[in-house]
Amino acid sequence: MSDALEKLQHELKAAQRALAEAEARCARHDVEHQEAATKEFKEFEETCKKIEHAHQEWDSALDAVKDLVFIHDKDFRILRCNRAYQRCAGIPFEQIIGQPYYDVIPKTHAPLPSCLRAIKEEEVAVGDLIYRSRSCSINDEHGAYLYSVHILEDITERKQAEAELFRLNRVLKTLSECNHAMLRAVDETELIKNICDVITASGGYLLAWIGLARQDENKGMEAVAIAGEGKGYVEALHMTWDDRPGVQWPTGTAVHTGPTQIGHDIKNDPRFELWREEVAKYGYASSIALPLKKDGAAFGSLNIYAAEASAFGDDEVALLEEVADDLAFGIVHLRTSVQRDQAVEGRQHYIERLRTSLEEALQAIASTVEMRDPYTAGHQRRVAHLATAIARELGLPEEQVHGIHLAGIVHDLGKIHVPAEVLSKPGRLDEIEFSFIKTHSQVGYNILKKIQFPWPIAQAVLQHHERLDGSGYPQGLKGDAIILEARILAVADVVEAMSSHRPYRPGLGIEKALAEIERGRGTAYDTDVADACLRIFRERRYQLPN
């Protein structure tokens, strides 16, 4: 019994030791587990802090970007967005997240094409702004789609600058071609038509027309040239430049007041109220009326219409005003040229009438002289004919040749002062009678000297009996003191007189006359004139007219 009890006590103690050891092991395990759990928790907490910090850095980085940035899932619902996107949307973040982006920005009826097709970049409009949209898809390591990132860059100013640059280049090209058109134009109708054609063809405007103001009591205007879309519109206009209430419109105001008139938004411009339907029909959105001025006052207007509103910026207006100023100058210049040409033509016609009348009077005078001296009938006419032929042989200008011809017609005009019996005396003249004859040069000069001829006719008549060696009359002139016209008449007079019949002798014939010219060549007669006379007879086969 005692052995059994002792054994039982021994086993109890062993069990107590085992329990104590088990409790010790459990305590150690709890401590180790607690330490592991604490370490794992701390690691998890650190990871969360890192993730939160990364999110904060990501958010800060995105918010620092001025472009609109958003991320969407496969259903196009916004997962995240930056501050710029939220400000543009104008609603809190919590109302943005989870919404389809096409219900927020940019508002469209469906996702952008870049989300539906392989398009990485496109332009989209958001109200008055223009954005360049760029996107990319993010996949996991297995290629599965995670989300897409969109960046909307505001390119409004750049697009506006590009549009402005395009317009300015367009106007510069228009200005250049208008200047070329003005240089080529020969009349006003051609000029204004070509200018309108250039403005619509090269400038790309819908309509260009030119109206000129009529100075009548109704202050009407006439459309003198139209190009582009809208002839019917122009024809339907109330054409007046009156500025009374009820009839005001940009073109009329431009002519009446002078400054350029711009319609930035025709559809809402009260000045176009009467023509609203016509404006809508042709698609005009803006217009400009540029006055055409002379001496500060407008006499018409260049009118241009564009398809887009606010098409005419300050720089474009300045260039178009230059076009209008050049056009006005061209019109005024052509009108002045026409008036000048008409005046010149009228003056020329008047001069021709005076010249014709003068020449007819000279012919009548010459005929009167020949009536008093039947033996020399035709002498002046034949001398004029021969003198003309010699002058042309010398290569003189035709105008000078014509003056020599007229001088020949009247070179013996002074014989009207010589008694008829002396002129028609059949025998040789005595000294007194010959002295009468010799006065005819001076008398002819005295008659003609007061007449304002464009040629030295009076001097030619006075000197036609002078000789190079001083042996002539009435002044005994020598060499270059004798004008060329008189030297030509001298040779022609000798040839005609010697070859023709006279009351005191029969004609000596052309050969003796030419021999006389050869004999006196360089002494009595001018060498060049004598040679020209000999050539036309001997080489050109010239013959004196009957």
Side-chain angles (χ1 to χ4, degrees):
M1 180 75 179
S2 57
D3 291 337
L5 180 59
E6 185 178 345
K7 183 179 180 181
L8 181 61
Q9 288 177 344
H10 179 76
E11 290 178 351
L12 178 61
K13 288 180 179 178
Q16 288 176 343
R17 285 194 301 270
L19 178 62
E21 290 176 356
E23 287 178 349
R25 286 195 302 271
C26 286
R28 287 196 303 271
H29 178 76
D30 287 343
V31 171
E32 291 175 356
H33 179 75
Q34 181 66 32
E35 288 176 352
T38 300
K39 181 180 179 181
E40 184 178 345
F41 178 77
K42 287 182 177 179
E43 289 177 350
F44 175 75
E45 188 177 51
E46 187 67 25
T47 300
C48 288
K49 288 180 179 179
K50 288 181 178 179
I51 293 173
E52 181 64 24
H53 183 68
H55 278 216
Q56 289 176 353
E57 287 183 341
W58 192 88
D59 287 342
S60 298
L62 288 184
D63 287 344
V65 177
K66 66 177 182 178
D67 297 331
L68 280 60
V69 182
F70 66 94
I71 300 173
H72 67 78
D73 61 16
K74 62 183 179 61
D75 295 321
F76 312 111
R77 297 183 182 278
I78 298 174
L79 300 174
R80 297 184 71 86
C81 66
N82 69 345
R83 185 67 62 182
Y85 186 90
Q86 182 268 326
R87 282 197 299 267
C88 187
I91 57 178
F93 279 108
E94 55 267 23
Q95 295 181 22
I96 294 175
I97 305 304
Q99 295 295 320
Y101 73 77
Y102 50 82
D103 286 342
V104 185
I105 297 174
K107 285 189 176 183
T108 58
H109 64 282
L112 294 173
S114 59
C115 292
L116 303 175
R117 298 191 297 275
I119 302 174
K120 297 303 180 183
E121 187 172 315
E122 60 188 312
E123 291 183 5
V124 295
V126 180
D128 295 330
L129 303 178
I130 302 173
Y131 288 91
R132 181 173 64 176
S133 172
R134 289 172 290 179
S135 65
C136 65
S137 297
I138 306 299
N139 302 324
D140 63 14
E141 64 271 17
H142 304 295
Y145 175 86
L146 294 177
Y147 52 84
S148 293
V149 178
H150 266 276
I151 301 175
L152 299 177
E153 178 189 359
D154 187 351
I155 58 172
T156 307
E157 290 186 5
R158 193 189 76 191
K159 297 297 290 185
Q160 290 173 343
E162 289 176 353
E164 181 67 15
L165 181 61
F166 171 78
R167 287 196 297 268
L168 291 179
N169 285 336
R170 181 178 66 180
V171 178
L172 283 172
K173 181 182 178 183
T174 302
L175 175 60
S176 175
E177 295 195 15
C178 284
N179 287 335
H180 282 297
M182 281 181 267
L183 290 174
R184 294 192 301 267
V186 296
D187 59 55
E188 181 178 335
T189 301
E190 178 188 0
L191 172 60
I192 58 179
K193 178 183 181 301
N194 289 346
I195 292 298
C196 288
D197 289 341
V198 166
I199 289 173
T200 53
S202 297
Y205 299 101
L206 288 182
L207 171 69
W209 65 278
I210 294 172
L212 298 182
R214 291 196 296 265
Q215 301 301 321
D216 54 24
E217 60 181 12
N218 296 322
K219 295 185 177 180
M221 290 193 69
E222 178 184 4
V224 292
I226 305 172
E229 298 293 331
K231 184 177 181 181
Y233 166 76
V234 177
E235 292 174 345
L237 290 173
H238 180 58
M239 288 288 193
T240 178
W241 55 279
D242 197 347
D243 204 36
R244 291 173 300 170
V247 296
Q248 295 176 343
W249 62 307
T251 299
T253 303
V255 175
H256 183 84
T257 63
T260 296
Q261 300 295 309
I262 304 172
H264 291 293
D265 183 10
I266 291 180
K267 291 181 180 179
N268 299 307
D269 193 327
R271 296 175 297 176
F272 289 89
E273 183 177 356
L274 295 177
W275 309 282
R276 197 80 68 199
E277 292 183 6
E278 291 293 322
V279 166
K281 183 188 301 182
Y282 294 103
Y284 307 141
S286 57
S287 72
I288 186 169
L290 302 137
L292 305 175
K293 298 179 181 180
K294 177 187 177 184
D295 299 330
F299 62 87
S301 176
L302 169 60
N303 311 278
I304 304 172
Y305 292 72
E308 61 274 12
S310 301
F312 304 99
D314 293 342
D315 292 334
E316 190 168 0
V317 170
L319 291 173
L320 289 174
E321 286 179 336
E322 188 173 343
V323 171
D325 290 343
D326 290 346
L327 173 59
F329 175 81
I331 291 174
V332 171
H333 174 72
L334 287 172
R335 287 180 177 179
T336 303
S337 297
V338 169
Q339 293 170 353
R340 184 181 63 246
D341 291 344
Q342 290 175 342
V344 170
E345 184 178 353
R347 183 172 179 272
Q348 189 63 33
H349 181 66
Y350 175 71
I351 291 173
E352 289 297 330
R353 286 177 55 194
L354 286 179
R355 177 179 289 186
T356 300
S357 299
L358 183 60
E359 293 178 10
E360 289 175 351
L362 290 178
Q363 292 283 3
I365 293 172
S367 298
T368 301
V369 174
E370 291 186 346
M371 288 175 62
R372 295 184 68 250
D373 182 13
Y375 289 99
T376 60
H379 167 69
Q380 293 186 118
R381 176 174 52 83
R382 286 190 293 272
V383 168
H385 194 277
L386 175 54
T388 299
I390 294 172
R392 288 202 174 106
E393 180 67 19
L394 290 169
L396 299 183
E398 198 58 34
E399 185 68 13
Q400 188 176 8
V401 171
H402 186 66
I404 291 170
H405 173 78
L406 292 179
I409 289 293
V410 294
H411 76 279
D412 277 346
L413 175 61
K415 287 184 178 179
I416 198 170
H417 183 69
V418 179
E421 59 271 21
V422 174
L423 292 175
S424 58
K425 182 178 179 180
R428 290 187 62 87
L429 299 177
D430 59 29
E431 187 175 344
I432 296 177
E433 292 170 333
F434 187 61
S435 65
F436 270 117
I437 294 291
K438 290 172 66 175
T439 62
H440 79 280
S441 298
Q442 185 67 53
V443 172
Y445 170 78
N446 292 339
I447 295 173
L448 298 171
K449 67 180 180 181
K450 295 181 180 180
I451 303 176
Q452 297 296 319
F453 293 106
W455 315 277
I457 290 180
Q459 284 293 333
V461 169
L462 176 64
Q463 298 177 12
H464 77 278
H465 278 289
E466 301 286 356
R467 299 295 181 258
L468 290 185
D469 56 8
S471 61
Y473 65 86
Q475 296 173 297
L477 300 177
K478 293 182 178 181
D480 292 339
I482 306 170
I483 64 172
L484 178 58
E485 287 82 354
R487 298 182 214 174
I488 293 173
L489 285 180
V491 171
D493 188 40
V494 168
V495 171
E496 200 288 328
M498 289 185 65
S499 60
S500 300
H501 294 287
R502 286 293 183 266
Y504 50 86
R505 60 154 177 83
L508 302 177
I510 194 66
E511 286 304 322
K512 286 191 175 182
L514 295 179
E516 166 59 21
I517 299 302
E518 281 185 310
R519 183 197 64 76
R521 174 184 177 276
T523 55
Y525 313 115
D526 182 277
T527 301
D528 292 336
V529 175
D531 289 345
C533 178
L534 295 172
R535 278 199 307 274
I536 64 173
F537 276 100
R538 292 174 177 171
E539 297 177 18
R540 315 274 189 247
R541 303 301 179 189
Y542 175 83
Q543 292 183 343
L544 286 168
N546 295 325

